[in-house]
Amino acid sequence: MTTQVTEFVQKVVDAMGLKLTATAEELPDGLRVHLEGEDGVVLTRRQGEALQALQHIASSAFRSDGPDRRRLVIDCENFRKDKDAELRQMALYMAGKAKSSGASQEMGPLNPYERRIVHLAVSEVAGVSSESVGDAFEKTVIISVG
Amino acid sequence: MADHSALVAVVARALADEPDAVRVTVGERRGATHYELHVAPRDLGRVIGRQGRTAAALRLLLSAAAEAAGGKAQLDIRDSDGRS
């Protein structure tokens, strides 16, 4: 599947007329496709909306409805990696703040990909927990003591 | 005018259960490149996605590609019977 997904992503950016090259990296629970090249900004501008769109389409095309469903992440010029690291730092900071003050902290609205990063970071901090609230696609994450 | 019909076709074929039924036509409308995507009736749901999210994502990629080439793009999605 790795080769198929990477080839698909390459075909899409080629068809968009972008000078970008896709390479695959295996993750413990899925696959990360890296895009590098001079046209990276076309995908990363406006908070990476085109990158997000490409990831949605690729996930949708290669969906596996099973228990062993693998995650698919598409990154461009380390845009996600940097943003993810920032979000993780923020989540750890908020978790610390909740713990020291006793008051619940809010983050968001965040999309599912971002919420996962926050929940994982909070789970590393003892004595605090996190939950998503809201009915929309993007939800707020509440970090509280207990 | 840049023609990105290959983009529409590549994405639609990857999503469709009947990739052979995918057809893309291209024209010009009010200064924008106008694409019409036809898919098999049973693939319309897959291509449009829950709450139209997949169609929105495809339109966004198409606009990004058109913008990079200095143009504008529009996309209509229909099934092969002409329903949209």
Side-chain angles (χ1 to χ4, degrees), chain A:
Chain A
M1 183 186 106
T2 301
T3 320
Q4 272 175 290
V5 176
T6 313
E7 278 176 7
F8 172 70
V9 171
Q10 185 66 58
K11 256 202 255 177
V12 171
V13 293
D14 286 349
M16 288 176 76
L18 305 180
K19 290 198 178 76
L20 288 168
T21 306
T23 50
E25 179 197 350
E26 294 286 343
L27 301 176
D29 58 344
L31 172 67
R32 182 184 283 265
V33 178
H34 291 277
L35 287 164
E36 303 284 340
E38 60 185 85
D39 286 330
V41 68
V42 174
L43 297 183
T44 58
R45 66 165 64 113
R46 289 187 286 271
Q47 288 86 49
E49 58 176 16
L51 185 59
Q52 187 61 41
L54 176 56
Q55 176 164 321
H56 172 85
I57 285 171
S59 306
S60 184
F62 293 92
R63 78 197 188 292
S64 56
D65 309 314
D68 50 40
R69 193 187 167 108
R70 300 174 82 224
R71 277 174 5 96
L72 171 63
V73 180
I74 302 179
D75 203 350
C76 181
E77 300 282 339
N78 280 334
F79 174 82
R80 275 188 196 281
K81 221 172 190 171
D82 297 344
K83 249 182 59 158
D84 293 359
E86 223 170 85
L87 187 62
R88 187 183 139 76
Q89 282 311 309
M90 188 56 155
L92 291 172
Y93 170 76
M94 289 300 215
K97 201 169 159 189
K99 205 171 167 177
S100 59
S101 70
S104 296
Q105 306 294 319
E106 279 186 19
M107 285 182 73
L110 302 172
N111 68 35
Y113 178 87
E114 295 164 333
R115 291 201 297 277
R116 183 172 182 278
I117 293 169
V118 171
H119 289 309
L120 283 175
V122 171
S123 73
E124 291 169 19
V125 181
V128 288
S129 62
S130 58
E131 63 169 333
S132 302
V133 293
D135 303 321
F137 181 68
E138 297 207 323
K139 303 184 198 335
T140 300
V141 176
I142 313 267
I143 303 168
S144 47
V145 176

Side-chain angles (χ1 to χ4, degrees), chain B residues 8-49:
Chain B
V8 179
V10 162
V11 169
R13 289 200 182 106
L15 293 164
D17 289 326
E18 291 181 45
D20 292 342
V22 169
R23 231 165 20 88
V24 184
T25 60
V26 58
E28 181 128 24
R29 193 190 278 179
R30 289 188 290 275
T33 312
H34 184 260
Y35 300 88
E36 227 167 80
L37 167 62
H38 297 264
V39 298
R42 68 169 174 144
D43 283 329
L44 198 57
R46 278 298 305 286
V47 172
I48 290 172

